[in-house]
């Protein structure tokens, strides 16, 4: 959070629900480090939190022997607002009512809503996530407001509420607040394709990101005699990414020029964007599509779809849109950029000339939304 935002907020206190202490509490010093990774400290790539033995023992030893109503935000003063910036786990969701009905503070309670993919496309999501997601989306209606990261996500959340016949009077306002980015601005001038172009894809290896389609497209082009390298960055989803990970390994064993870096640091991601000629992001569906914004900020053209929120993200140029996320369509898009130097330069100029939102912009809109909710009470 930058200085301009800090001027508007007196104190920001990251909190967590500690299941071993059975209380909401502020983060300790080591836990807080996870919010500010650097070259000497980087949290693990696991999407779910992993409680260490030490955290478990400390939590149990400090568990208060009193009623649940007095365990609310242990050690904290009354708050002006609370923001849930990510998907709320089933465990945390069960403690939701404690925040919603707390009498300790009349503060505003909002959540950032990223996508409804686990509900809308269960075939692309982990089984446990699919099972709990409807209750998570239902629980959002208990808050004062929802900041959806795109119009697509806003529509999907409202569609879910329509499906369960949630009364209008039980629905909080849902405002679209697009995400920002902080990756360093890249090239200021277009440059020609490298002698051996590098195509980059930054995305978790999971079914929805369509790595299989991308690999199929690359194999087709290599078979036709095109010479380029394919770089992949992203951790593997252990449940839905098995097939893609196996395909990558087969390609590598066959000697094809595919590199998979797995989970990497921010500086390594930036280095990958810098050496890439362009980016491929053929996702089946997105709630926002931050890697597309990151690539464009580096002045890199993007071959992508218009699925989900990507229709909104591509507005402003720099992207080659493919008709569908099939291997053949992806190959045609990549071939266009490899063959047509004028078109490639045109997309570069569009990417370089785009205006981008910062995380400051995102934060200011969140604060404005909170103030509107407060004023309407």
């Amino acid at each position: 959070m930058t200085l301009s935002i800090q001027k508007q907020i007196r104190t920001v206190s990251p909190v967590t629900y500690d299941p071993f202490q059975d209380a909401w509490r502020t983060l300790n010093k080591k836990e807080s480090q996870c919010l500010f990774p650097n070259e000497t400290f980087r949290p693990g790539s696991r999407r779910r939190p992993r409680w260490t033995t030490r955290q478990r023992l400390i939590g149990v030893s400090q568990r208060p022997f009193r009623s649940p109503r007095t365990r609310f935000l242990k050690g904290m003063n009354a708050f002006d607002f609370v923001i849930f910036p990510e998907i709320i786990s089933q465990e945390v969701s069960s403690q939701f009512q404690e925040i919603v009905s707390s009498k300790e503070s009349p503060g505003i309670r909002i959540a950032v809503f990223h996508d409804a993919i686990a509900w809308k496309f269960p075939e692309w999501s982990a089984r446990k996530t699919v099972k709990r997601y409807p209750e998570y989306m239902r629980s959002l209606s208990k808050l004062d407001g929802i900041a959806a990261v795109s119009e697509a996500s806003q529509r999907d959340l409202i569609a879910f509420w329509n499906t369960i016949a949630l009364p209008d009077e039980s629905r909080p306002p849902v405002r679209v607040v697009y995400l920002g980015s902080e990756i360093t601005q890249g090239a200021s001038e277009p440059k020609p394709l490298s002698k051996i172009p590098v195509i980059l894809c930054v995305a978790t290896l999971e079914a929805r990101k369509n790595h299989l389609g991308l690999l199929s497209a690359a194999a087709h082009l290599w078979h036709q005699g095109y010479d380029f390298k394919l770089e992949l960055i992203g951790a593997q989803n252990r449940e839905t990414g098995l097939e893609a990970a196996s395909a990558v390994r087969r390609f590598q064993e066959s000697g094809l020029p595919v590199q998979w870096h797995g989970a990497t640091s921010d500086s390594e991601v930036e280095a990958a964007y810098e050496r890439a000629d362009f980016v491929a992001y053929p996702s089946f569906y997105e709630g926002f599509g931050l890697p597309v914004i990151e690539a464009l900020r580096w002045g890199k053209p993007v071959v992508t779809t218009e699925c989900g929120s990507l229709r909104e993200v591509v507005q402003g140029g720099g992207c080659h849109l493919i008709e569908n996320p099939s291997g053949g369509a992806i190959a045609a898009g990549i071939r266009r950029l490899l063959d047509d130097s004028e078109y490639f330069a045109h997309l570069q100029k569009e990417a370089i000339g785009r205006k981008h939102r910062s995380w400051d912009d995102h934060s200011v809109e969140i604060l404005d939304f909170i103030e509107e909710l407060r004023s309407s009470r």
Side-chain angles (χ1 to χ4, degrees):
M1 187 170 294
T2 61
L3 183 60
S4 60
I5 299 301
Q6 288 177 342
K7 289 179 180 178
Q8 301 180 50
I9 307 175
R10 185 174 66 253
T11 304
V12 177
S13 300
V15 300
T16 184
Y17 175 73
D18 186 332
F20 304 99
Q21 192 174 134
D22 192 21
W24 291 90
R25 62 167 175 80
T26 54
L27 304 186
N28 61 39
K29 185 177 180 180
K30 189 170 183 179
E31 292 166 345
S32 296
Q33 278 187 297
C34 294
L35 301 177
F36 305 98
N38 53 45
E39 294 306 312
T40 59
F41 176 83
R42 185 172 66 191
S45 61
R46 292 171 60 96
R47 296 176 70 100
R48 292 179 58 83
R50 180 177 178 273
W51 296 90
T52 65
T53 301
R54 184 172 184 274
Q55 286 173 310
R56 295 167 187 251
L57 292 175
I58 291 176
V60 171
S61 67
Q62 294 183 356
R63 178 178 291 206
F65 295 94
R66 45 190 175 182
S67 68
R69 293 268 59 83
T70 61
R71 296 201 300 268
F72 179 66
L73 292 177
K74 183 178 182 297
M76 293 186 63
N77 297 322
F79 56 82
D80 295 306
F81 59 85
V82 61
I83 300 174
F84 291 92
E86 254 294 350
I87 295 171
I88 302 164
S89 69
Q90 186 173 8
E91 196 168 42
V92 173
S93 182
S94 66
Q95 308 298 322
F96 225 41
Q97 192 62 29
E98 197 166 347
I99 284 184
V100 174
S101 62
S102 170
K103 296 180 180 179
E104 291 192 33
S105 173
I108 299 296
R109 300 150 174 87
I110 74 168
V112 177
F113 180 68
H114 294 272
D115 61 70
I117 292 167
W119 167 70
K120 192 171 184 178
F121 302 105
E123 65 274 20
W124 295 333
S125 304
R127 285 167 292 181
K128 287 184 178 180
T129 303
V130 171
K131 184 177 180 180
R132 69 176 177 82
Y133 221 75
E135 182 54 38
Y136 156 63
M137 294 175 68
R138 184 192 299 269
S139 70
L140 293 176
S141 66
K142 301 174 183 178
L143 298 178
D144 298 302
I146 307 298
V149 300
S150 65
E151 292 179 8
S153 290
Q154 180 191 50
R155 288 194 300 269
D156 288 347
L157 178 58
I158 293 173
F160 170 78
W161 286 346
N162 290 340
T163 300
I164 64 172
L166 187 70
D168 290 345
E169 60 272 17
S170 298
R171 303 184 183 195
V174 183
R175 171 77 58 84
V176 175
V177 182
Y178 291 110
L179 299 178
S181 63
E182 61 184 13
I183 284 193
T184 307
Q185 192 77 33
S188 58
E189 293 292 336
K191 64 177 184 178
L193 282 169
S194 305
K195 185 177 180 180
I196 301 179
V198 175
I199 302 172
L200 175 67
C201 179
V202 179
T204 305
L205 258 69
E206 57 182 305
R208 175 172 58 90
K209 301 297 185 178
N210 196 20
H211 288 85
L212 292 176
L214 177 58
L215 291 169
S216 173
H220 179 71
L221 293 171
W222 284 322
H223 181 71
Q224 290 185 331
Y226 285 89
D227 191 9
F228 62 89
K229 296 178 181 178
L230 179 62
E231 285 196 38
L232 309 176
I233 288 181
Q236 176 195 334
N237 182 302
R238 289 182 295 175
E239 187 171 337
T240 70
L242 289 172
E243 192 174 359
S246 297
V248 170
R249 295 188 183 98
R250 287 197 304 273
F251 273 50
Q252 292 174 328
E253 291 168 359
S254 300
L256 294 172
V258 179
Q259 287 183 302
W260 176 24
H261 301 285
T264 62
S265 66
D266 289 346
S267 62
E268 290 170 317
V269 172
E270 291 198 11
Y273 278 123
E274 186 171 15
R275 65 177 172 262
D277 288 89
F278 61 91
V279 168
Y281 198 76
S283 175
F284 286 121
Y285 198 84
E286 289 294 317
F288 183 73
L290 192 57
V292 175
I293 294 297
E294 293 175 348
L296 293 169
R297 192 156 192 165
W298 268 95
K300 307 296 180 178
V302 183
V303 176
T304 188
T305 67
E306 286 189 292
C307 300
S309 63
L310 293 176
R311 184 183 299 273
E312 304 162 55
V313 172
V314 300
Q315 299 301 315
C319 297
H320 175 85
L321 302 180
I322 56 179
E323 294 180 357
N324 60 72
S326 68
I330 300 167
I334 292 175
R335 185 187 300 113
R336 175 77 187 276
L337 268 67
L338 293 175
D339 286 343
D340 193 336
S341 58
E342 290 186 6
Y343 181 61
F344 176 74
H346 170 71
L347 291 182
Q348 273 191 313
K349 290 178 181 178
E350 286 188 339
I352 291 169
R354 283 185 59 146
K355 302 294 182 183
H356 296 283
R357 287 168 56 85
S358 67
W359 286 115
D360 244 15
D361 297 325
H362 174 78
S363 300
V364 166
E365 286 193 35
I366 290 285
L367 293 177
D368 288 344
F369 183 35
I370 289 170
E371 191 55 41
E372 289 180 26
L373 292 171
R374 196 194 317 276
S375 300
S376 64
R377 275 189 168 180

